[in-house]
Amino acid sequence: TFELIYSAVPMEITAETPDSYEFEVDKHVHYIIPYYLGGMAIHDENPQIADRLLNIYFSRLNNVEKTEQDYPYAVEIIYNVNKL
């Protein structure tokens, strides 16, 4: 028996990304994305506001509760490996 953990790397968002693109995170956490983007975008111009935005982002990220749909499902297929 072994446990396989897979964490997908999200797609990079570029200028070619269509406007219809859906973020690869659960919809109940979409509202915190602008805090991160704002903090990263303004960091060079105004570090104090950037720190506030990033603090809000990380604070809300820590308070996100997992929903039942967030938990991984167990793999039910069992493979037998026979030595030759």
Side-chain angles (χ1 to χ4, degrees):
T1 302
F2 64 92
E3 181 179 50
L4 176 66
I5 299 172
Y6 173 72
S7 298
V9 177
M11 183 181 108
E12 184 176 344
I13 298 173
T14 64
E16 288 79 33
T17 303
D19 291 340
S20 61
Y21 173 77
E22 285 192 31
F23 291 107
E24 297 175 15
V25 295
D26 293 328
K27 290 185 180 191
H28 70 279
V29 294
H30 280 191
Y31 76 98
I32 65 173
I33 295 172
Y35 293 104
Y36 179 79
L37 295 175
M40 297 305 287
I42 201 169
H43 193 272
D44 291 337
E45 296 174 24
N46 195 330
Q48 290 177 324
I49 293 177
D51 286 342
R52 286 183 188 173
L53 291 171
L54 290 173
N55 284 338
I56 292 170
Y57 168 76
F58 286 113
S59 172
R60 292 186 179 182
L61 184 63
N62 286 332
N63 292 327
V64 169
E65 293 184 17
K66 285 190 166 282
T67 64
E68 189 175 311
Q69 298 169 347
D70 292 338
Y71 294 99
Y73 295 101
V75 177
E76 298 295 330
I77 301 172
I78 298 173
Y79 295 98
N80 292 322
V81 179
N82 298 323
K83 290 184 178 182
L84 296 176

